Amino acid sequence: MSALLTVLGTVTVAVVGGLFTLFGQRISAKSQEKSAEVSTRAEEWSKLLAETKAYADERLTDQQQQIDELQADMRTVKQQLADLKARYRAALETIRRWLRDHPNHRLEIPEEIRDDLKNL
């Protein structure tokens, strides 16, 4: 009986050992598949990120160019406005002096500039 138990124990250990080996191999194979999939996905993600970065860089370059153009336009408009303000003040001052020198004038002053002439 003891020999039978020994044989049975040996067979049981061999079967259990074989099962664990099979499970280990399956787990190892699945792990290798996952690793290969992750590696493949990593390459795909890297490529996608590179494409996204290139697209974003291109858009940013376009936007920066537009910003630069708008800033140049704004400087031009500000300079033109400053020039017009200076001319307007000079014209108002000339009209005010003329009005002072010609008190009996019949010139109708447009409503849009009446207050401006008084405030000089």
Side-chain angles (χ1 to χ4, degrees):
M1 175 90 141
S2 151
L4 183 63
L5 285 176
T6 303
V7 170
L8 218 88
T10 304
V11 170
T12 303
V13 167
V15 168
V16 169
L19 287 174
F20 279 123
T21 301
L22 275 175
F23 287 138
Q25 288 174 346
R26 283 191 176 180
I27 289 172
S28 177
K30 284 187 179 187
S31 175
Q32 288 175 355
E33 286 175 18
K34 288 279 187 190
S35 178
E37 182 180 341
V38 166
S39 177
T40 302
R41 296 284 181 187
E43 291 172 14
E44 290 174 3
W45 278 105
S46 292
K47 183 179 176 184
L48 178 64
L49 288 173
E51 290 172 0
T52 303
K53 183 183 181 313
Y55 177 79
D57 288 346
E58 185 179 328
R59 296 288 79 75
L60 287 174
T61 300
D62 292 346
Q63 287 180 350
Q64 188 59 51
Q65 183 180 358
Q66 290 175 351
I67 289 169
D68 292 343
E69 289 171 4
L70 289 171
Q71 287 176 334
D73 290 346
M74 183 59 80
R75 283 190 294 274
T76 300
V77 168
K78 283 182 176 181
Q79 184 59 53
Q80 289 173 343
L81 179 62
D83 292 346
L84 285 173
K85 283 181 177 180
R87 289 178 186 168
Y88 181 68
R89 285 188 197 109
L92 288 176
E93 182 59 32
T94 302
I95 293 169
R96 193 171 66 77
R97 276 184 285 161
W98 186 87
L99 291 172
R100 186 186 62 223
D101 293 345
H102 301 90
N104 297 326
H105 67 85
R106 292 183 180 234
L107 182 64
E108 283 192 40
I109 306 299
E111 190 176 319
E112 294 86 4
I113 65 170
R114 279 188 199 143
D115 289 339
D116 294 342
L117 281 171
K118 291 176 189 175
N119 294 329
L120 277 180

